[in-house]
Amino acid sequence: MGRAFKVVVLGGGTAAGYAASEFVKLGVHHGDLCIISEESVAPYERPALSKGYLLIEGAAWLPAFHTCVGTGEERHMTKWYKDNGIELVLGTQVKAADVRARTLLTAAGETISYKFLVIATGARVLKLEEFGVTGADAHNVCYLRDVQDAAHLVDQMAACRKVEGKAVVIGGGYIGMECAAALHGNHIPVTMVFPEHHCMARLFTPEIAAFYETYYGKKGVHFIKGNVMASFEQDEFGKVTTVVLKDGRKIAVDLVVVGIGIHPNVDLFEGQLAMEKGGIRVDGKMRSVSNHSVYAVGDVAAFPLKMYDDVRRLEHVDHARKSAAHAVQAIMSSNEVGDYDYLPYFYSRVFTLSWQFYGENVGECILFGDHSASKFGAFWVHKGQLVGAFLEGGSKAEYAALARAARQRPTVDDTRLLAMEGMGFAMALTEPVPPRVSLMSSIATADGHLFLTRPPSWAIQVGAGVAVGVAFVSLAFWYGRRKKRR
């Protein structure tokens, strides 16, 4: 028993939703496309889980954030897939794949064959059990990766509030920082524990991190840095009551939220496809270098980062959206599509703060702006070129200028002058006219999630629908351009 399709998208996350949207735009025939997902709901905007689902007031729950609302497009619920002739196979696990035979075997025993496979399986959270922590499967130990995780965390936050309890967040990265803000918004005292010497250590310098740690501290969030948890203590009902740290300290707790990283879901393809940096090695078309009937997008793709002449694997929604669209364009009209030319981009919003980063954080970091006014930034200069740019509290035009600067990588002769000029340096750069506009401009870089803790000061405010649309259109223009000025 089995079915056959021209294209199968394996995975039902953000990338799958944007792939489906791009297929429809490019005229996929009814019955040609199948999406297989372990989740029981249609693809949705995963960042909304930490930015909207966890809010105590005005929370955003499904169906509010199905793709593709993150870029101001139509919300695609199950009916949209049916109306466009897309077979949406939900709640289904694929237990085996044979890329030579071009088949997938589901846990129910069905064989699904394809001409092209798009692997959009994303990643799974790293769990404490994998590190030998006993008691880590307790019901009040929470993770955040999918909508089921979010629903469970909401329930546990309610239970914690009921007893006026406290929470500990394990991890100081994206999930840790955003969940800590959400817990505070739910009126739950929070302690953050992480091994690094400052938060967001993979991206922030100590000076940048200090601003956010101070801000969180004023909100009442407590930081324990340079330390890790060693074990849990539990009550007779199996509930975690104490977090024991490596240095012996104990923290009484009613809720634990863990954000210690993710692992790409590539197990099905180990030994079948070329791997690199933990992901599936693809070319500039997002096509497996070892099997041209297979494409990989989002978290699982190790792709050539053209502007840096390097191979990277990036874990971010912006890359998931754009790599999915690029793979679809390559499948549908490969002769018309160039190589994926991605500019690394990251962002976050917590409390009333919002920042964006473009490029690379290598070399010397040059700070500018006014921390006390909650509007400051940084440039990274490497071998005489500006290679990265960060800004807290910027406007639409300023973020666009930062992206332009990071892509052009202009020469910097005097870093002291750069610090004095600050945003003026980036705003003064003009953009060269490209030989052609990439199809990738159909997906904007701007943050398009519709769910905020509180309206921030910058112009890409996703609670205001009209402003969002303007932001996406304007930013889409510059992001698609491929030619970079040095």
Side-chain angles (χ1 to χ4, degrees), residues 183-210:
L183 287 162
H184 176 272
N186 277 266
H187 313 300
I188 299 173
V190 186
T191 297
M192 294 188 68
V193 178
F194 48 87
E196 298 84 7
H197 294 298
H198 61 267
C199 69
M200 295 290 295
R202 291 173 61 182
L203 178 61
F204 289 174
T205 65
E207 295 81 7
I208 294 174

Side-chain angles (χ1 to χ4, degrees), residues 244-280:
V244 182
L245 302 184
K246 187 176 181 179
D247 64 3
R249 278 184 284 178
K250 294 186 176 183
I251 308 171
V253 68
D254 297 275
L255 174 60
V256 178
V257 180
V258 182
I260 55 175
I262 61 176
H263 179 78
N265 290 320
V266 296
D267 295 355
L268 282 173
F269 305 98
E270 291 281 0
Q272 297 192 74
L273 298 175
M275 300 285 173
E276 189 168 344
K277 298 187 176 178
I280 297 166

Side-chain angles (χ1 to χ4, degrees), residues 26-360:
L26 296 179
V28 69
H29 294 146
H30 282 222
D32 278 357
L33 176 60
C34 172
I35 297 175
I36 305 174
S37 175
E38 290 191 18
E39 295 194 65
S40 59
V41 296
Y44 54 88
E45 306 282 358
R46 200 172 297 276
L49 299 178
S50 60
K51 295 176 173 64
Y53 201 105
L54 304 182
L55 303 185
I56 192 170
E57 295 180 0
W61 289 7
L62 288 175
F65 54 91
H66 282 295
T67 58
C68 294
V69 296
T71 53
E73 299 180 41
E74 179 186 358
R75 181 179 56 184
H76 299 158
M77 294 185 288
T78 304
K79 184 178 183 298
W80 178 87
Y81 293 89
K82 183 177 180 180
D83 290 346
N84 285 282
I86 300 170
E87 189 74 18
L88 190 59
V89 182
L90 301 176
T92 299
Q93 181 186 17
V94 171
K95 67 177 185 179
D98 187 334
V99 299
R100 288 187 177 180
R102 301 187 185 186
T103 59
L104 304 172
L105 179 64
T106 71
E110 181 183 13
T111 297
I112 297 177
S113 59
Y114 58 83
K115 181 178 179 181
F116 296 106
L117 174 66
V118 179
I119 302 172
T121 45
R124 63 171 177 80
V125 295
L126 293 175
K127 295 195 171 184
L128 293 174
E129 296 96 311
E130 299 175 54
F131 300 92
V133 177
T134 58
D137 57 348
H139 66 276
N140 63 329
V141 176
C142 300
Y143 299 84
L144 186 62
R145 185 62 183 173
D146 58 32
V147 71
Q148 286 187 315
D149 291 339
H152 180 64
L153 180 51
V154 167
D155 289 344
Q156 291 303 309
M157 287 193 298
C160 189
R161 285 197 307 273
K162 189 174 181 179
V163 297
E164 298 183 349
K166 300 177 181 180
V168 166
V169 173
I170 307 298
Y174 274 102
I175 291 298
M177 294 294 284
E178 293 190 355
C179 284
L183 287 162
H184 176 272
N186 277 266
H187 313 300
I188 299 173
V190 186
T191 297
M192 294 188 68
V193 178
F194 48 87
E196 298 84 7
H197 294 298
H198 61 267
C199 69
M200 295 290 295
R202 291 173 61 182
L203 178 61
F204 289 174
T205 65
E207 295 81 7
I208 294 174
F211 168 81
Y212 294 97
E213 290 177 8
T214 299
Y215 188 96
Y216 272 60
K218 290 178 179 178
K219 295 286 187 181
V221 177
H222 180 54
F223 288 88
I224 299 178
K225 299 179 285 186
N227 210 328
V228 296
M229 66 154 294
S231 62
F232 290 134
E233 293 180 356
Q234 297 172 277
D235 63 16
E236 64 271 26
F237 303 106
K239 176 184 175 181
V240 169
T241 58
T242 307
V243 174
V244 182
L245 302 184
K246 187 176 181 179
D247 64 3
R249 278 184 284 178
K250 294 186 176 183
I251 308 171
V253 68
D254 297 275
L255 174 60
V256 178
V257 180
V258 182
I260 55 175
I262 61 176
H263 179 78
N265 290 320
V266 296
D267 295 355
L268 282 173
F269 305 98
E270 291 281 0
Q272 297 192 74
L273 298 175
M275 300 285 173
E276 189 168 344
K277 298 187 176 178
I280 297 166
R281 180 72 163 91
V282 298
D283 62 16
K285 302 291 193 298
M286 309 309 296
R287 180 178 53 191
S288 167
V289 297
S290 56
N291 188 313
H292 285 184
S293 68
V294 177
Y295 293 72
V297 299
D299 295 346
V300 299
F303 67 98
L305 195 55
K306 190 175 180 179
M307 63 186 302
Y308 301 130
D309 192 26
D310 191 16
V311 173
R312 303 280 177 89
R313 192 181 63 79
L314 297 178
E315 300 165 358
H316 193 265
V317 65
D318 182 65
H319 164 60
R321 292 168 177 162
K322 290 188 170 70
S323 61
H326 198 85
V328 173
Q329 292 156 10
I331 291 170
M332 297 292 284
S333 52
S334 60
N335 294 333
E336 301 175 16
V337 179
D339 287 342
Y340 189 50
D341 190 11
Y342 187 69
L343 173 68
Y345 164 65
F346 302 95
Y347 72 90
S348 185
R349 287 195 306 269
V350 289
F351 299 112
T352 59
L353 303 175
S354 59
W355 58 260
Q356 294 189 24
F357 169 86
Y358 300 88
E360 287 196 300

